[in-house]
Amino acid sequence: DRDGSRTGTAQRLREITLSPEYRVNPHLVLRGDLRTDNADVDVFENESGDFTRRRQTTALFNALVVF
């Protein structure tokens, strides 16, 4: 986002996501997501709501029922 038109801040963003999946049976799927976002300027909020971080990591777990 070189001119900041999408995020409001001119920056370079990079991300990587890992999404392993385990099929317990044909009707139950367990899936995890681990994502890390990196920017070249401080655009991510810390715990107090200030924009002081360049990296953000998110972890998710999903249980999907297929029918």
Side-chain angles (χ1 to χ4, degrees), residues 42-56:
D42 294 338
V43 294
F44 299 110
E45 291 184 41
N46 63 17
E47 292 76 23
S48 62
D50 300 323
F51 294 96
T52 59
R53 299 186 319 179
R54 294 182 182 198
R55 177 177 293 158
Q56 174 176 275

